[in-house]
Amino acid sequence: MATPQLLLRRAFSSSFLSSPFRRPPLHPARSFVPPRAAMASSAAPFHMVQIQRDDTTFDAYVVGKENAPGIVVLQEWWGVDYEIKNHAVHISQIGEGYRALIPDLYRGKVALDVAEAQHLMEGLDWPGAVKDIQASVKWLKANGSPKVGVTGYCMGGALSIASGVSVPEVDAVVAFYGTPPSELADASKAQAPIQAHFGELDSFVGFADVTAAKSLEEKLKSSGVPHEVHIYPGCSHAFMNTSPEAVKRRKEMGLTDENQAAIDLAWSRFSTWMGRFLGSA
């Protein structure tokens, strides 16, 4: 049976991993120190907590109102960098406010380039990451959040759908441009309401392209859970990333589309979905 890592490598090999920006991965991956501008863009009143599950402990970064509905925010393949923190801050300020929590799935490592991101993602214990998500959801519920949703981007998008299948404590999911391999989670067995967003031009075949999006939609139909799958014309992978640093990184990888109207629409749909299933703060 193919592992999630192998299946995702196949999907990614048709896209960024063959780009001229690829170089041999470093072992171990270096810790990322963001440039001053990036640090400024993600500056926010995060506080770090430690969460334990099974025989491991991991760091998580929390922002937002105490006792508000919670949302676990899952990283892209880069790790816990400035952009995922930007997303968490934005989410914490939607509507009457949410308590956003970012679990550090890579245990402190953040990639500097595509090759390192590939190396970190391939080395991830995917079933273990789902357990990290479950522990994060439980932490939020034990610390004042009456309901908790999960959202994620790219790799985190796939994991958020997996949590909607495998983690009964999840109350709602919003996934961006990522689907889990069936070996990790069968979306036809989803337990939580799932909303998913994809770019029409996404080239991650079988992972985040239009074919993957439509396949996910068919599986969700058979699951019987409330669901929505949205495809955004003219948008490619990671279209929600809008900070100057993230835009520069996307352009270096050949992703030149910028569509603020699509981004605004996706956030509006996110807000409506989470408000519907998590309630207001």
Side-chain angles (χ1 to χ4, degrees), residues 176-197:
F176 291 90
Y177 30 80
T179 59
S182 58
E183 286 78 1
L184 178 67
D186 181 354
S188 67
K189 299 178 181 178
Q191 302 181 68
I194 294 177
Q195 182 187 78
H197 304 263

Side-chain angles (χ1 to χ4, degrees), residues 77-267:
W77 66 341
W78 306 106
V80 180
D81 68 350
Y82 54 87
E83 196 68 354
I84 200 64
K85 289 184 177 181
N86 290 338
H87 288 321
V89 171
H90 180 83
I91 289 166
S92 74
Q93 297 169 353
I94 289 175
E96 297 181 29
Y98 291 99
R99 196 176 196 192
L101 180 151
I102 309 170
D104 189 349
L105 304 180
Y106 285 168
R107 304 298 193 263
K109 296 177 181 178
V110 181
L112 289 171
D113 59 26
V114 167
E116 290 182 10
Q118 175 200 6
H119 172 59
L120 287 171
M121 184 184 70
E122 289 181 354
L124 180 67
D125 173 4
W126 286 70
V130 174
K131 292 181 179 180
D132 287 353
I133 297 165
Q134 183 174 35
S136 299
V137 172
K138 288 182 175 180
W139 187 94
L140 282 167
K141 289 193 172 184
N143 286 274
S145 294
K147 291 187 177 182
V148 177
V150 179
T151 190
Y153 306 80
C154 183
M155 181 186 83
L159 285 167
S160 66
I161 293 171
S163 75
V165 174
S166 304
V167 180
E169 296 87 356
V170 173
D171 295 299
V173 169
V174 178
F176 291 90
Y177 30 80
T179 59
S182 58
E183 286 78 1
L184 178 67
D186 181 354
S188 67
K189 299 178 181 178
Q191 302 181 68
I194 294 177
Q195 182 187 78
H197 304 263
F198 299 89
E200 177 192 32
L201 305 180
D202 200 310
S203 58
F204 282 107
V205 177
F207 177 75
D209 64 336
V210 170
T211 300
K214 292 182 177 179
S215 175
L216 173 66
E217 187 170 29
E218 290 304 311
K219 291 177 181 178
L220 291 176
K221 285 179 182 177
S222 66
S223 75
V225 300
H227 65 275
E228 295 177 359
V229 175
H230 301 288
I231 299 174
Y232 296 81
C235 293
S236 56
H237 196 72
F239 67 88
M240 297 295 289
N241 294 349
T242 58
S243 73
E245 301 80 26
V247 170
K248 180 176 181 291
R249 182 165 65 185
R250 290 184 79 239
K251 288 181 177 178
E252 288 174 348
M253 300 191 309
L255 304 177
T256 59
D257 58 292
E258 295 183 46
N259 190 331
Q260 189 60 47
I263 293 166
D264 292 343
L265 179 57
W267 279 125

Side-chain angles (χ1 to χ4, degrees), residues 14-76:
S14 64
S15 186
F16 299 151
L17 301 186
S18 59
S19 80
F21 300 98
R22 182 183 180 185
R23 61 177 176 76
L26 301 180
H27 302 270
R30 296 172 289 175
S31 294
F32 173 60
V33 180
R36 184 172 298 174
M39 293 176 69
S41 70
S42 63
F46 283 96
H47 71 272
M48 189 178 76
V49 299
Q50 289 194 320
I51 299 175
Q52 185 167 359
R53 60 100 176 154
D54 300 332
D55 58 351
T56 186
T57 301
F58 59 91
D59 294 336
Y61 301 87
V62 182
V63 63
K65 293 170 54 177
E66 292 188 6
N67 301 319
I71 298 180
V72 177
V73 183
L74 301 177
Q75 68 199 49
E76 297 176 290

